[in-house]
Amino acid sequence: MDTSMQEDPQMILCDMCTEEDRKPARKTCMKCEISMCSQHLQVHLTTPVLLQTHPLTEPMALCGTTKCPQHGKLLEYYCLDDMTCVCVSCAIEDQHRLHNMKTFSTAHKELLEKLTAEQQALEVKADDENVSLEKWEKNEREKLGGCSVRLIEAVTHLRDISLSSIQSSVSARMVSVKTSRISIQAAQKEKDTFRFLQMYSQVHQDVEKAKAVDLRKGLEPGSHRDKLVQEIIEARRKKNSCFISTL
């Protein structure tokens, strides 16, 4: 037996091969809850009843995740309202019966298309916000650059602190957008329908969180900067007044 095969923890081996000569699995039957190599897979592919009623997926470690914990039946549908995999009893009898139900393959296709569209929207949003940040920084530098010579040192210091604070804040909020990109890309690369649907709920949460982020916050004109500048002007004016009074 190939020892390198045994050492690969990611490889799914055939459950029907002998223990001494287990070959790499080519498909996993969700109903039988077994993984099969090319040889043992032939029965599923050539028997009409098995081909129609036993869904096959890419090799995966099932660990009992293909059965409904409530009814013990095979998970065959995806509830778009609750973003969870359900069995036929859940779909027609329980709380999901009035929900938007899809087969795994249909849900995979529709949700993948949705993620692609949302990824494009987030890319546009991120590009637009980056341009806004650059424009804001340019305008702020131009405004602050017009301060008097007496205040230039203090204003320069204030400018750097202000820019650094806003940039740090926007960068922190950009993490949500970056996280959503990573989640979407991971989902788009997942070829296995069952694993895609299991991870979609978290991807959806990441996307919604990114969509809710307001990257413009802190870039709008406000009184905070003006107040600080005025305080510096007043402090310098008082200092000059005290100096004159001592003459």
Side-chain angles (χ1 to χ4, degrees):
M1 183 177 180
D2 187 352
T3 56
S4 62
M5 183 184 302
Q6 289 180 317
E7 295 171 356
D8 185 357
Q10 303 299 323
M11 180 175 291
I12 304 299
L13 300 179
C14 178
D15 294 317
M16 300 184 68
C17 288
T18 60
E19 191 64 31
E20 295 77 16
D21 189 26
R22 297 182 68 188
K23 298 180 178 63
R26 290 289 175 262
K27 292 290 182 180
T28 294
C29 175
M30 295 180 65
K31 190 166 186 177
C32 297
E33 294 189 310
I34 59 173
S35 298
M36 296 165 285
C37 64
S38 299
Q39 177 184 350
H40 292 109
L41 180 63
Q42 289 306 308
V43 175
H44 272 69
L45 297 178
T46 56
T47 305
V49 65
L50 295 181
L51 192 60
Q52 295 174 7
T53 61
H54 286 226
L56 299 174
T57 184
E58 295 304 309
M60 61 183 295
L62 295 176
C63 302
T65 58
T66 62
K67 297 293 181 66
C68 174
Q70 181 177 353
H71 302 102
K73 296 182 179 179
L74 181 68
L75 298 173
E76 298 182 85
Y77 300 95
Y78 189 75
C79 175
L80 292 176
D81 294 333
D82 293 333
M83 289 183 288
T84 186
C85 300
V86 299
C87 70
V88 64
S89 293
C90 292
I92 64 176
E93 298 175 4
D94 290 345
Q95 69 270 23
H96 300 282
R97 62 188 181 89
L98 299 179
H99 290 181
N100 188 8
M101 310 296 297
K102 300 286 184 179
T103 61
F104 280 179
S105 58
T106 300
H108 189 176
K109 179 181 178 181
E110 292 183 3
L111 294 179
L112 192 58
E113 291 174 351
K114 180 180 179 181
L115 284 180
T116 300
E118 290 182 331
Q119 181 189 32
Q120 294 173 349
L122 286 172
E123 292 290 345
V124 172
K125 177 177 182 178
D127 291 342
D128 179 61
E129 302 302 351
N130 283 332
V131 171
S132 297
L133 179 59
E134 292 172 1
K135 183 178 179 181
W136 172 86
E137 182 177 349
K138 180 180 178 181
N139 290 338
E140 288 297 293
R141 290 186 181 277
E142 290 176 353
K143 291 177 182 178
L144 293 172
C147 292
S148 66
V149 175
R150 292 181 303 161
L151 296 175
I152 193 63
E153 182 178 348
V155 171
T156 300
H157 179 64
L158 173 63
R159 178 197 64 193
D160 292 340
I161 293 177
S162 176
L163 292 175
S164 177
S165 176
I166 295 298
Q167 288 173 329
S168 296
S169 177
V170 174
S171 295
R173 280 173 271 156
M174 282 290 289
V175 171
S176 294
V177 177
K178 292 179 180 178
T179 299
S180 69
R181 288 177 180 171
I182 295 173
S183 296
I184 289 175
Q185 291 170 358
Q188 289 173 325
K189 292 178 181 178
E190 181 54 68
K191 302 302 182 183
D192 181 76
T193 296
F194 185 69
R195 281 193 289 243
F196 171 86
L197 295 175
Q198 282 191 314
M199 68 191 298
Y200 179 77
S201 178
Q202 182 60 51
V203 177
H204 174 74
Q205 292 179 28
D206 292 340
V207 170
E208 291 302 311
K209 185 176 180 181
K211 288 163 64 178
V213 167
D214 182 7
L215 294 176
R216 293 179 182 271
K217 186 176 181 181
L219 305 184
E220 66 276 16
S223 62
H224 180 65
R225 183 203 69 236
D226 298 336
K227 181 180 178 182
L228 289 176
V229 172
Q230 188 60 38
E231 288 176 354
I232 294 173
I233 294 174
E234 291 297 327
R236 185 59 60 92
R237 184 177 299 163
K238 289 179 180 180
K239 182 177 179 180
N240 291 339
S241 298
C242 291
F243 175 75
I244 292 173
S245 64
T246 59
L247 296 178

